[in-house]
Amino acid sequence: MTVIAPRPVDARAGLRAWAGLAVLFLPTLLVAVDNTVLGFALPAISEALGPSATQQLWIVDVYPLVLAGLLVTMGTLGDRIGRRRALLIGVTGFGAVSFAAAFATDPTQLVIARALLGFFGAMLMPATLALLRTLFPHRAQRRTAVAIWATGFAAGAAVGPIVGGLLLAHFWWGAVFLVNVPLMLLILVAGAVLLPESRMAAPGRLDPWGVLLSLLAMGPTVLAVKTVAHDGVTGTAVLSLLVGVGAAVLFVRRARARIAAGEEPLLDVTLFSSPVLRLSALANATTMFALTGLLFFSAQYLLLVVGLDPLDAGLVLLPGFAMTMVAGLAASRLARRFPLRLLVPTGLLLAAAGYILCTQLTGAPAVGLLAVAAVLVGAGIGLSETITNDAILSAVPADRAGSASAVSETAYEIGAVLGTAVLGSVLAAVYRAGVRVPGGFGPTWADSARETLAGAAGTADRIGGADGAALLASARSAFDAGVGVTAAVGAGVLVAVAVLVVVGLRPRA
């Protein structure tokens, strides 16, 4: 095992480092493919497994929830045991669980499999970004490398619908998980050959109480958001929020106490004293909030309202994901001329413009408007996330690259969870308020129709006739209205964060 020794910050990377970047690109591609493919496979999963609306949200949400809860732990663990080792363990587990997920026979099994994918996925992402810091100490080269690495998310999102459409056209829904296995085998072999090992020089012991508190801070807080959005303010929601906030306070206090005692905390919370790191993490969360929210409602809109097949629906969104890649590569050049304070809000406002277009998805030009909206959202995400990832890596010492990467990835996954939980729940609430179920339906079918658009479509197919047509028309109209409200909420969040970044990074005397 080779451990990379610190190199001068102006040392330029050679061919082996760029080959290593190609390996590190693949996990980001894979994670994005997994998320995008799942979004397009939800109607098929709903038809095959019959999940309730809550189970459907958990199938989507449990992966980023577990991922977000463990990223800090796994990033710090990678700093201690070696980032390459953490990456290869995660790759092995992710591939094995993907194989098992493909053969789930009920919603509970699929939720468990998605949770395990989150566990092993948490080992992948901090390690990839931290190894970039090791491979590319030269700032300009690292910015380009981060831009290429970040385009893996966009490339995966672009390839995912195409791959998913082809798989769903010829195979059952489980094939969207099996597609992970060959890529995982490739990463495992190439990573062992091309990636050098790196770790902290004097890591100290892992803090088990810090691990527990980080999980208790993330899980119950997100559960509270989901519960309030779905059921309103309930006792469960209030209790979950209190547990999450209390655990977060204890986590910060414990970290500060360990720093004062000269011990290594799970996460060095003093890193957040930097407004650049703090606001960059917030912007990262917001871009993922926008991306996952867009995928959640646009996939269902194109498949179930417009009536496209999965392949055609993926092609509608393809230009937007391609623009994310283009904007990410352009961002590395723009950063040489323009400051973070200008580029990041510009990206967020571009995404907000795309969401505003989504409030107008009615009538014949809906598909074209959605394609343009995806281009604007993609351009904004590509511009913002490249700049913020580089800023986060550059704000910390090299031996804390894993912790810094975990901050960045945790922000991503918090945004992904909230994008589905908040925007998905807003959409579900407006849909349930607007759908009208004709009389004479049994309670089971009526409840299914009120829960999700996929449930209404399935019920309408089974009933047929005038009642089935009336139900489907009402469900599509209610979903259409829900998309408008959801897009308006998303646009408001993006604009608000853009303003926070401008104000927070203003020049100070």
Side-chain angles (χ1 to χ4, degrees), residues 68-391:
L70 288 173
L71 278 168
V72 170
T73 299
M74 296 304 186
T76 306
L77 182 66
D79 285 342
R80 287 164 165 76
I81 69 171
R83 291 141 192 166
R84 185 182 71 168
R85 178 179 295 176
L87 176 66
L88 297 182
I89 293 172
V91 163
T92 304
F94 200 96
V97 176
S98 294
F99 185 84
F103 299 98
T105 57
D106 61 59
T108 301
Q109 290 180 13
L110 190 55
V111 169
I112 293 171
R114 291 277 292 168
L116 289 173
L117 287 174
F119 176 87
F120 289 108
M123 296 183 180
L124 301 179
M125 304 314 298
T128 60
L129 194 53
L131 285 168
L132 282 183
R133 173 69 182 260
T134 303
L135 290 171
F136 298 94
H138 190 276
R139 178 69 184 273
Q141 280 191 319
R142 184 169 68 246
R143 188 182 289 129
T144 300
V146 169
I148 295 171
W149 173 87
T151 61
F153 290 104
V159 172
I162 306 301
V163 172
L166 291 172
L167 291 174
L168 293 171
H170 297 92
F171 304 99
W172 92 116
W173 61 266
V176 303
F177 291 100
L178 285 181
V179 75
N180 295 339
V181 177
L183 276 176
M184 281 295 159
L185 291 173
L186 177 61
I187 297 168
L188 188 63
V189 174
V193 173
L194 291 173
L195 294 178
E197 187 60 283
S198 66
R199 61 168 63 91
M200 292 179 69
R205 294 179 300 172
L206 192 65
D207 179 14
W209 286 108
V211 171
L212 177 62
L213 289 172
S214 69
L215 288 169
L216 288 176
M218 283 296 304
T221 301
V222 174
L223 177 62
V225 172
K226 289 168 58 67
T227 304
V228 170
H230 192 268
D231 301 322
V233 179
T234 64
T236 300
V238 172
L239 179 61
S240 298
L241 183 61
L242 289 175
V243 171
V245 172
V249 171
L250 290 175
F251 178 85
V252 173
R253 291 183 62 180
R254 180 173 179 82
R256 287 179 173 172
R258 288 178 68 87
I259 292 171
E263 299 176 334
E264 186 71 26
L266 182 68
L267 176 67
D268 186 353
V269 294
T270 62
L271 297 175
F272 289 94
S273 62
S274 165
V276 170
L277 187 144
R278 188 169 61 245
L279 291 169
S280 293
L282 176 62
N284 272 359
T286 308
T287 56
M288 286 306 295
F289 176 91
L291 178 60
T292 55
L294 179 71
L295 289 174
F296 184 82
F297 69 73
S298 63
Q300 295 183 74
Y301 185 89
L302 291 170
L303 294 170
L304 300 173
V305 176
V306 179
L308 299 181
D309 60 45
L311 180 58
D312 288 338
L315 291 174
V316 171
L317 300 178
L318 181 59
F321 298 130
M323 181 55 68
T324 305
M325 300 171 63
V326 172
L329 293 173
S332 64
R333 293 184 176 274
L334 291 172
R336 301 171 191 174
R337 299 184 58 187
F338 302 101
L340 179 83
R341 182 173 179 261
L342 175 62
L343 292 177
V344 173
T346 299
L348 294 172
L349 292 176
L350 280 171
Y355 263 74
I356 290 171
L357 277 184
C358 288
T359 64
Q360 307 301 312
L361 294 181
T362 56
V367 172
L369 275 178
L370 188 53
V372 174
V375 168
L376 289 171
V377 173
I381 290 172
L383 177 61
S384 177
E385 72 176 11
T386 299
I387 304 302
T388 52
N389 278 321
D390 179 64

